[in-house]
């Protein structure tokens, strides 16, 4: 990688100050001395962007002229986080920017604070996409990220008086944003509806409405690679913006209906991250960005060609389908190849299956999208025809392989039912080259359970690529103190592009002065978080407590309920006098979690956590020993502040439910110890950091399966463990709802009757491991040693490594030659 080509490496602080001043004067007509932080932020972003243009254009032309297969990452979500700090780091402009701000008399943190976080994603899947485009650029790979520029991202979460979640629109664009460039010249027409007519032996789609897809381009600078790729996010616009005739008939609303209708497609992100709502608008969103992206890619690699030879397409680009959300792309490419470029079925199919690959990010059956065939037929009649033909040929192939009718019915892409459904995960598996899970256990369960029939017949398609996270944002930027200590310990900062070099820290785990410095780093990070939490949430957090964090989307399989029941049990033990609060290891339990607006049980859990916090934090009997904090509106910024300060990370999902997790990786890399089950990537984290440096508890997948098959009676566990009984009785009795016994009735009833994710069955083991954790924490140097070993052995969880796995196993390409 050519490090010297860092776009910003030649600009001085003084030069940068001049450019920013110019931008303020000419771009925003304000004198630097009069400028607000928001104005300086915008000017800085514009200047940094300009620094990247040359490398960007070089990368674009190399990609088109070169012979290196590019990667197209198709994702309905990108959880990008704030852009300015990352752009400064990757372009080598951090120090010049600090100097420039000093020269202009501004506090860099005030400028960073002015940026609105682009929340164009829900959780793990969206953040992973953001980490992967950072690593693709950092590894010098020619790539496009394709997605949707939602006008409103993930909702802003607020808590009302009762501690209930309230959702507010995410107005991240209300003052515009400086990073996206509306590239009108590359707008695409995306059609919907209508019908299909036969013209000779050809099928022609005659849609009855269309929208304009306008690409908003974001530069994606690599870290010290000199490569700048494109994140192309599509926004929907009307062809006929304003109907003057209707307006003149004083039907003012009617005049803008076409505009509103069209723009609705990219208006807002669907806030679900597990259960698809199956809404038509969601399918419109999926087809909208995928159709625009495929047309754009063909135009990019065959510029101006009327009859492009698309048999070469697989050598030019391959597309990664980020879960089932972009899978409509498979029939769309078939349509483009056959109907618009005249290829026959077989040739079109051969091209299509060599272009697409599918990553599955879940194990929850309900999260696998199944679109009603009627809906697809209505919105995309030609695609419905093609899907039926794909399925017909697939079934014929299975019959030719002597597969039983019963198994064929299980494998059909289109279900045999009076209301047939299109199983998008099956379409992705049949219509692409590779299928991968996101952690070894997940990929194994995909082969053994979720896609069992397919892996039996097409074993060569199935592989694994364990998730990763970018060390630039989640170590270097989030935790500069630890980064400096690591570079000191390793003698260089090369680890930032080669994270497995962290292994070199293992020896320092027994070096008392290094351990001292490590403890000091964590202590200072905790102090920072205390100040941040006071400033942003008004929380008074005691830094001399163990910071015990659980930050992730609220979902029953992630078992935030297990954590809060353990807190309540601890509290009950003190209230009943069984436990002397002074004997406890002082703890601050910190939650961060948004619930999908329609997910009632998740929202009731949020209300319970907030009210347990209210009661516990105001009870002098446990003051200093136990407190619960639930900062609202958990987002990337909160994660970046809390992860470096955390000492214990909660990864307590029911075994076999969390596909991978990526928060677990971020915490381990920042020197937290993990308490967790053998689920998702926890398995690989534990095997790399060592069993002594990981707090394992709970049932494993096979135990869970056995309990399901034997019949699970949660009440038996309630009866068997008095700690659990006390905790649930406290909830049921109204202790956290001012005596109102009905407030958490749904939760309590579910725990004692269903408890599908077996929170009660794992409760005792969880309580026991928490006592072990308390003991371990009393030995601060021992704890720090374990934490250092976690950091040293977590280099594998870099998204650079994950991207290299995809390059080797699935994309079969590499850095731009
Ligand atoms: C259609 C509704 C919907 C929306 C999003 C999703 C995502 C697949 C949910 C998600 O974010 N999954 C998470 O993906 C991470 C990245 O691979 C994993 O680390 C998490 O374990 C997984 O829950 C499913 C269903």
């Amino acid at each position: 990688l050519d490090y010297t080509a860092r776009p910003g490496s030649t600009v001085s602080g003084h030069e940068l100050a001049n450019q920013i001043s110019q931008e303020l004067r000419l771009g925003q007509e304000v004198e630097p001395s009069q400028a607000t932080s928001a104005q300086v932020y915008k000017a800085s972003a514009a200047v940094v962007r300009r620094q990247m243009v040359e490398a960007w254009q070089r990368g674009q032309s190399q990609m088109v002229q070169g012979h290196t297969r590019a990667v197209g990452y198709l994702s309905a979500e990108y959880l990008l986080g704030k852009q300015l700090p990352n752009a400064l780091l990757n372009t080598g402009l951090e120090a010049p920017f600090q100097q420039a701000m000093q020269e202009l008399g501004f506090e860099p943190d005030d400028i960073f604070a002015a940026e609105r976080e682009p929340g164009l994603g829900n959780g793990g899947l969206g953040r992973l996409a953001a980490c992967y485009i950072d690593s693709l650029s950092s590894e010098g790979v020619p790539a496009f990220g394709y997605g949707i520029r939602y006008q409103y991202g993930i909702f802003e979460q607020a808590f009302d008086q009762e501690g209930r979640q309230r959702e507010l629109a995410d107005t991240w664009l209300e003052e515009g944003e400086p990073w996206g460039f509306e590239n009108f010249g590359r707008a695409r027409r995306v059609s919907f509806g209508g019908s299909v007519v036969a013209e000779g032996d050809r099928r022609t789609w005659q849609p009855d409405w269309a929208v304009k897809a306008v690409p908003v381009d974001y530069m994606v600078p690599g870290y010290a690679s000199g490569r700048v790729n494109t994140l192309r996010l599509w926004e929907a616009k009307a062809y006929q913006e304003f109907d003057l005739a209707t307006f003149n008939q004083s039907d003012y609303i009617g005049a803008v209906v076409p505009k509103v209708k069209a723009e609705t497609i990219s208006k807002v992100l669907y806030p679900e991250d597990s259960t698809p709502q199956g809404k038509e608008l969601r399918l419109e969103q999926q087809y909208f960005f995928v159709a625009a992206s495929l047309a754009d890619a063909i135009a990019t690699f065959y510029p101006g060609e009327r009859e492009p030879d698309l048999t070469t397409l697989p050598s030019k680009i391959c597309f990664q389908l980020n879960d089932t959300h972009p899978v409509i792309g498979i029939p769309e490419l078939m349509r483009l190849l056959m109907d618009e470029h005249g290829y026959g079925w077989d040739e079109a199919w051969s091209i299509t299956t060599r272009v697409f690959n599918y990553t599955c990010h879940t194990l929850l059956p309900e999260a696998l999208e199944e679109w009603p065939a009627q809906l697809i037929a209505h919105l995309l009649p030609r695609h419905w025809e093609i899907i039926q033909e794909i399925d017909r040929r697939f079934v014929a192939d299975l019959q030719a392989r002597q597969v039983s009718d019963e198994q064929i019915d299980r494998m059909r892409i289109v279900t045999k039912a009076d209301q047939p459904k299109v199983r998008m995960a099956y379409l992705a598996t049949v219509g692409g080259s590779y299928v991968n899970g996101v952690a070894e256990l997940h990929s194994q369960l995909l082969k053994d359970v979720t896609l069992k029939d397919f892996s039996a017949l097409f074993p060569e398609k199935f592989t694994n690529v364990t998730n990763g996270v970018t060390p630039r944002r989640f170590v270097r930027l989030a935790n500069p103190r630890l980064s400096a200590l690591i570079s000191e310990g390793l003698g260089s900062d090369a680890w930032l592009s080669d994270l497995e070099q962290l292994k070199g820290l293992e020896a320092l785990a027994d070096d008392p002065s290094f351990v001292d410095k490590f403890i000091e780093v964590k202590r200072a990070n905790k102090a920072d978080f205390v100040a941040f939490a006071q400033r942003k949430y008004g929380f008074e957090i005691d830094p001399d407590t163990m910071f015990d964090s659980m930050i992730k989307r609220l979902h029953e399989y992630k078992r935030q309920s297990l954590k809060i029941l353990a807190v309540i049990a601890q509290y009950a033990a003190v209230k009943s006098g069984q436990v002397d609060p002074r004997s406890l290891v002082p703890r601050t339990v910190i939650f961060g979690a948004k619930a999908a607006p329609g997910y009632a049980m998740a929202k009731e859990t949020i209300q319970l956590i907030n009210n347990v916090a209210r009661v516990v934090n105001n009870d002098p009997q446990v003051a200093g020993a136990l407190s619960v904090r639930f900062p609202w509106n958990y987002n990337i910024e909160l994660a970046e502040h809390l992860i470096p300060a955390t000492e214990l990370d909660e990864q307590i999902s029911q075994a076999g439910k969390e596909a991978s997790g990526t928060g677990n990786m971020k915490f381990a890399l920042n020197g937290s110890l993990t308490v967790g089950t053998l689920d998702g990537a926890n398995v690989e984290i534990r095997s790399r950091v060592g069993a002594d440096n990981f707090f394992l508890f709970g049932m494993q997948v096979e135990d869970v399966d056995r309990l399901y098959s034997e019949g699970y009676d949660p009440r038996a566990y309630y009866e068997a463990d008095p700690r659990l009984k006390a905790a649930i009785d406290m909830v049921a009795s109204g202790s956290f709802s001012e005596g109102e016994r009905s407030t958490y009735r749904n939760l309590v009833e579910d725990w004692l009757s269903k408890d599908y994710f077996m929170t009660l069955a794992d409760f005792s083991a969880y309580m026991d491991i928490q006592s072990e954790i308390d003991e371990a924490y009393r030995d601060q140097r021992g704890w720090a040693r374990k934490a250092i070993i976690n950091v040293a052995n977590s280099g594998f969880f870099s998204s650079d490594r994950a991207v290299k796995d995809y390059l080797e196993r699935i994309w079969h390409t590499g850095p731009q030659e």
Side-chain angles (χ1 to χ4, degrees):
L1 286 168
D2 163 7
Y3 284 82
T4 58
R6 298 182 80 176
S9 53
T10 53
V11 180
S12 71
H14 179 64
E15 171 55 25
L16 205 59
N18 286 348
Q19 291 183 17
I20 292 171
S21 304
Q22 277 310 83
E23 181 60 32
L24 285 167
R25 288 197 190 89
L26 308 178
Q28 300 183 51
E29 288 110 32
V30 63
E31 269 309 303
S33 56
Q34 306 307 311
T36 63
S37 298
Q39 289 172 319
V40 174
Y41 158 66
K42 272 214 173 117
S44 305
V47 166
V48 171
R49 208 175 174 287
R50 211 163 296 138
Q51 290 291 331
M52 298 192 270
V53 168
E54 190 243 324
W56 185 41
Q57 279 154 350
R58 188 179 56 234
Q60 287 301 107
S61 55
Q62 280 175 347
M63 180 165 61
V64 174
Q65 270 111 42
H67 302 291
T68 305
R69 190 189 207 196
V71 172
Y73 203 82
L74 290 169
S75 180
E77 304 183 21
Y78 290 91
L79 207 36
L80 296 166
K82 290 189 177 189
Q83 295 297 292
L84 183 56
N86 184 68
L88 292 170
L89 172 67
N90 284 11
T91 56
L93 285 170
E94 271 193 311
F97 181 75
Q98 297 287 335
Q99 289 145 22
M101 288 304 106
Q102 198 164 18
E103 198 173 307
L104 295 172
F106 290 98
E107 259 312 307
D109 284 353
D110 296 344
I111 307 308
F112 297 147
E115 178 171 2
R116 294 289 298 267
E117 179 174 320
L120 307 179
N122 279 284
L125 170 140
R127 181 57 235 178
L128 188 83
C131 285
Y132 280 177
I133 57 171
D134 175 77
S135 286
L136 280 162
S137 292
S138 300
E139 292 299 319
V141 178
F144 275 105
Y146 282 117
I148 301 174
R149 195 225 205 186
Y150 302 101
Q151 186 175 356
Y152 300 98
I154 188 67
F155 61 84
E156 188 170 333
Q157 179 191 52
F159 295 144
D160 67 13
Q161 284 312 310
E162 277 72 47
R164 289 180 295 223
Q165 170 180 294
R166 289 285 169 265
E167 299 90 21
L168 309 164
D170 166 38
T171 56
W172 75 290
L173 286 174
E174 67 189 338
E175 293 178 16
E177 58 90 11
W179 299 104
F181 162 68
E182 283 189 303
N183 196 338
F184 289 99
R186 299 192 72 91
R188 297 264 143 217
R189 181 183 193 83
V190 178
S191 304
F192 297 91
S195 59
V196 181
V197 296
E199 283 164 2
D201 62 352
R202 296 171 68 87
R203 305 288 296 166
T204 307
W205 179 21
Q206 294 180 333
D208 58 13
W209 60 285
V211 300
K212 186 194 302 184
V214 175
V216 183
D217 290 348
Y218 294 81
M219 294 185 194
V220 184
Y223 172 73
S225 68
R227 180 159 199 97
V228 178
N229 280 327
T230 308
L231 172 60
R232 182 157 285 165
L233 301 181
W234 301 93
E235 69 179 349
K237 293 203 179 289
Y239 276 100
Q240 196 222 5
E241 275 261 329
F242 180 64
D243 184 336
L244 191 56
T246 310
F247 184 89
N248 292 342
Q249 281 138 24
S250 43
D251 174 359
Y252 308 134
I253 304 298
V256 295
V257 165
K259 176 179 166 47
V260 172
K261 193 164 178 296
E263 293 178 2
T264 302
I265 288 183
S266 59
K267 188 64 70 181
V268 65
L269 167 77
Y270 271 88
E272 279 82 37
D273 89 326
S274 63
T275 322
Q277 300 304 304
K279 296 275 188 328
E280 181 154 352
L281 179 58
R282 169 87 174 179
L283 180 57
E284 288 173 12
Q285 288 187 337
Q286 295 179 350
Y287 179 67
F288 166 75
F289 91 92
V290 168
S293 303
L294 292 176
D296 180 73
I298 291 171
T300 298
F301 288 96
Y302 304 88
E305 293 183 37
R306 295 196 47 63
E307 293 295 318
D309 169 12
L310 295 176
T311 62
T312 63
L313 187 65
S315 68
K316 304 253 187 219
I317 189 165
C318 66
F319 288 102
Q320 196 62 30
L321 301 166
N322 201 21
D323 216 89
T324 55
H325 314 152
V327 170
I328 195 72
I330 291 170
E332 170 62 6
L333 184 56
M334 286 296 285
R335 182 189 72 82
L336 284 172
L337 292 168
M338 296 189 297
D339 299 359
E340 305 207 358
H341 294 276
Y343 290 90
W345 182 277
D346 297 342
E347 206 159 20
W349 187 244
S350 150
I351 294 168
T352 298
T353 51
R354 283 178 295 129
V355 155
F356 286 112
N357 304 293
Y358 160 53
T359 300
C360 175
H361 295 266
T362 187
L363 281 164
L364 303 177
E366 72 269 21
L368 296 175
E369 292 180 300
E370 296 189 348
W371 285 109
Q374 181 275 333
L375 188 54
I376 295 193
H378 166 70
L379 194 66
L380 302 166
R382 179 59 179 138
H383 300 76
W384 170 231
E385 289 185 352
I386 293 169
I387 291 168
Q388 288 177 297
E389 182 60 14
I390 292 172
D391 194 37
R392 188 188 66 74
R393 288 169 180 254
F394 175 55
V395 168
D397 172 40
L398 294 178
Q399 284 158 344
R401 291 164 183 260
Q402 316 301 326
V403 172
S404 71
D405 290 351
E406 184 240 340
Q407 181 175 346
I408 289 177
D409 284 349
R410 278 202 315 268
M411 296 177 76
R412 288 173 184 280
I413 296 167
V414 182
T415 60
K416 255 188 161 180
D418 38 9
Q419 294 295 334
K421 291 196 166 191
V422 179
R423 298 190 274 207
M424 302 310 270
Y426 293 8
L427 177 56
T429 303
V430 172
S433 295
Y434 295 101
V435 175
N436 75 285
V438 290
E440 281 170 8
L441 174 60
H442 177 227
S443 297
Q444 195 57 47
L445 290 170
L446 277 185
K447 289 193 282 190
D448 299 349
V449 182
T450 318
L451 295 169
K452 185 174 188 315
D453 293 322
F454 292 86
S455 73
L457 282 168
F458 314 103
E460 73 288 350
K461 282 195 176 203
F462 287 79
T463 184
N464 171 60
V465 178
T466 297
N467 282 167
V469 300
T470 173
R472 273 72 67 179
R473 180 176 292 274
F474 291 108
V475 183
R476 176 62 181 72
L477 292 172
N479 200 340
R481 290 192 187 91
L482 179 61
S483 301
L485 181 59
I486 292 171
S487 297
E488 180 195 323
L490 298 177
S492 91
D493 66 359
W495 56 274
L496 262 175
S497 319
D498 179 10
L499 206 57
E500 307 244 12
Q501 289 188 17
L502 292 178
K503 187 71 176 179
L505 296 174
E506 190 150 57
L508 297 169
D510 300 315
D511 168 340
S513 70
F514 187 84
V515 172
D516 286 343
K517 289 175 188 163
F518 183 89
I519 290 173
E520 177 43 34
V521 162
K522 186 60 80 174
R523 193 204 59 72
N525 289 347
K526 290 173 74 177
D528 273 8
F529 184 75
V530 167
F532 171 79
Q534 203 302 316
R535 193 174 59 245
K536 194 157 175 125
Y537 303 96
F539 293 161
E540 300 306 331
I541 294 177
D542 175 353
D544 300 322
T545 59
M546 179 205 295
F547 282 18
D548 172 2
S549 303
M550 185 167 191
I551 49 173
K552 52 190 71 232
R553 285 293 295 248
L554 209 295
H555 198 290
E556 290 166 280
Y557 84 80
K558 294 173 185 281
R559 301 202 295 193
Q560 281 90 351
S561 56
L562 179 54
K563 182 69 205 168
I564 200 63
L565 279 173
V567 167
I568 296 169
Q570 185 81 285
Y571 179 62
V574 171
K575 297 306 283 181
S576 64
Q578 275 171 314
V579 169
D580 175 346
R582 285 160 306 183
S583 70
L584 294 175
V585 167
R587 238 187 235 224
T588 300
V589 177
I590 302 160
F591 287 90
K594 287 178 178 177
Y599 192 174
M601 203 64 95
K603 295 181 101 168
E604 199 167 306
T605 308
I606 285 180
Q607 185 179 5
L608 175 62
I609 295 169
N610 274 323
N611 283 281
V612 170
R614 174 179 52 78
V615 171
V616 167
N617 298 347
N618 296 296
D619 186 331
Q621 212 179 332
V622 292
L626 180 61
S627 69
V628 178
R629 299 296 176 181
F630 195 167
W632 49 90
N633 201 38
Y634 167 53
N635 60 9
I636 302 285
E637 182 185 22
L638 176 56
E640 290 169 350
H641 281 86
L642 179 55
I643 291 172
T646 294
E647 294 158 295
L648 182 67
D649 169 35
E650 303 276 344
Q651 301 293 339
I652 60 176
S653 54
Q654 182 193 36
K657 295 299 186 297
E658 188 70 83
S660 164
T662 45
N664 45 10
M665 300 165 181
K666 295 161 188 168
F667 280 105
L669 279 167
N670 281 278
S672 291
L673 300 187
T674 303
V675 53
T677 52
L678 277 181
D679 194 20
N682 295 358
V683 176
E684 291 158 78
I685 292 173
R686 181 171 176 269
S687 68
R688 287 176 180 277
V689 305
D692 302 349
N693 308 304
F694 186 102
F695 297 107
L696 178 68
F697 81 100
M699 290 182 287
Q700 301 188 26
V701 174
E702 40 283 354
D703 308 319
V704 168
D705 291 344
R706 192 179 321 108
L707 196 46
Y708 277 134
S709 53
E710 287 164 0
Y712 170 51
D713 169 22
R715 183 173 284 276
Y717 293 85
Y718 163 81
E719 303 295 353
D721 188 327
R723 299 170 295 184
L724 179 56
K725 189 170 187 323
I728 292 180
D729 290 353
M730 240 184 163
V731 175
S733 65
S735 306
F736 307 111
S737 47
E738 276 119 11
E740 175 46 59
R741 304 173 69 82
S742 67
T743 308
Y744 307 112
R745 176 169 292 125
N746 301 323
L747 266 178
V748 171
E749 269 174 18
D750 178 271
W751 285 338
L752 296 177
S753 62
K754 207 159 129 280
D755 183 27
Y756 182 77
F757 298 106
M758 298 176 179
T759 291
L760 276 56
D762 265 340
F763 180 84
S764 307
Y766 183 61
M767 289 300 281
D768 299 347
I769 195 80
Q770 288 294 351
S771 315
E772 269 184 50
I773 290 168
D774 276 349
E775 289 327 299
Y777 190 77
R778 293 185 197 283
D779 168 9
Q780 281 292 292
R781 300 190 67 77
W783 186 278
R785 184 177 180 286
K786 291 174 188 293
I788 293 166
I789 292 171
N790 267 262
V791 176
N793 291 286
S794 295
F796 172 83
F797 300 106
S798 167
S799 48
D800 299 348
R801 182 273 315 153
V803 158
K804 280 185 251 185
D805 285 351
Y806 276 99
L807 290 170
E808 195 188 308
R809 288 187 214 135
I810 296 177
W811 299 332
H812 309 307
T813 184
Q816 179 80 57
E817 245 107 56

